Amino acid sequence: MKIGFIGLGVMGRPMAQHLIDAGHQLYLYRVKPRSAHLVESGATACTSASEVARSAEVIILMLPDTPDVEHVLFGEDGVLEGVEPGKLIIDMSSISPLATKDFAARLDARGCEYLDAPVSGGEVGPKAASLTIMVGGKPEVFGRAKPLFEKMGKNITLIGGVGDGQVAKVANQIVVALNIQAVSEALRFAARAGADPAVVRQALMGGFAASRVLEVHGERMISESFEPGFRIRLHHKDLSLALDSAQLLELMLPNTAMVHQLMNGALAKGLGDKDHSALIEAL
């Protein structure tokens, strides 16, 4: 299959590589030195998003934020200028659920199909093709895309209609953020009280407090190894999406708001490009 892929960052590069390895012909935009190996593997570098859209049957986006997706889709030389009816756009970025519905409607008017399919799995997930993929869209369109998702992930779920994948991802980011904050406080408490936080973590891993965050990020916190992973500034963005949506829904998310403020402090301390486990340094 001819697949366009736009967004070759920490997550996007290995995702694109898996699709190449599966025998698909990829068309890439914004190829940088770190992603040049994809061209060496057989992908084609394009000069614009519209060229990608003209060349491919399916266009996948993996971009940082809502404005980035909107620009790539609808800006000058964007995807909209190159698509034809029947083509499929899959946005695997983590962006606003409300904006997602608008983007899908604008592409539907051009006769294109749309799925939102944000992912979870940290830095390991895309490399191991073990991502959790949360999908919003029509069941028949999901069926068309599922073989591609299976090359990039393991836990693949159709949540509901367009935008529902983004809702699930925002919910995921709330849970992860609050867990990181809880583990940070627990390990800070252990250290200040005079116990070895590494031994405390080991003990907690055998009890009801055990979690993936305690296992992976707890180790990062103890070793002070904060190479991203998933950057604090991006998680901060996701919690902003949660709080903005909650305001529209007239919903209270008090602990999400508190962790968002803690991330504000982390950004002010210059920690934005460190892994989100570095939230412990803001304490």
Side-chain angles (χ1 to χ4, degrees), residues 223-244:
S223 64
E224 298 183 351
S225 175
F226 298 127
E227 286 297 313
F230 189 67
R231 289 173 170 82
I232 286 177
R233 62 178 174 83
L234 292 177
H235 206 153
H236 178 267
K237 176 265 298 182
D238 290 342
L239 293 191
S240 295
L241 292 176
L243 295 173
D244 290 345

Side-chain angles (χ1 to χ4, degrees), residues 64-66 94-96 169-170 172-174 176-178 180 230-245 256-269 271-277 279 282:
D65 204 349
T66 307
S94 296
I95 67 167
S96 163
K169 178 57 187 289
V170 170
N172 178 86
Q173 297 302 78
I174 291 171
V176 173
L178 269 62
I180 290 175
F230 189 67
R231 289 173 170 82
I232 286 177
R233 62 178 174 83
L234 292 177
H235 206 153
H236 178 267
K237 176 265 298 182
D238 290 342
L239 293 191
S240 295
L241 292 176
L243 295 173
D244 290 345
S245 299
T256 303
M258 182 269 294
V259 179
H260 187 258
Q261 286 296 311
L262 189 59
M263 288 186 178
N264 282 343
L267 294 176
K269 289 172 66 71
L271 302 175
D273 285 322
K274 291 192 175 185
D275 186 79
H276 52 175
S277 57
L279 193 66

Side-chain angles (χ1 to χ4, degrees), residues 91 97 100-101 114-120 132-143 146 149 155-172:
D91 181 23
T100 292
K101 293 176 184 290
Y114 194 97
L115 295 173
D116 56 297
V119 305
S120 179
T132 291
I133 305 175
M134 298 156 270
V135 188
K138 299 174 185 175
E140 63 272 20
V141 181
F142 172 70
K146 192 174 180 183
F149 293 145
N155 182 19
I156 303 160
T157 306
L158 177 63
I159 305 297
V162 168
D164 286 352
Q166 298 294 352
V167 170
K169 178 57 187 289
V170 170
N172 178 86

Side-chain angles (χ1 to χ4, degrees), residues 212-228:
R212 186 70 171 152
V213 169
L214 180 62
E215 178 188 358
V216 176
H217 290 326
E219 176 61 32
R220 285 175 175 260
M221 293 171 188
I222 291 165
S223 64
E224 298 183 351
S225 175
F226 298 127
E227 286 297 313

Side-chain angles (χ1 to χ4, degrees), residues 143-155:
R144 176 182 170 188
K146 192 174 180 183
L148 301 180
F149 293 145
E150 289 172 341
K151 302 302 180 185
M152 299 179 281
K154 297 295 185 187
N155 182 19

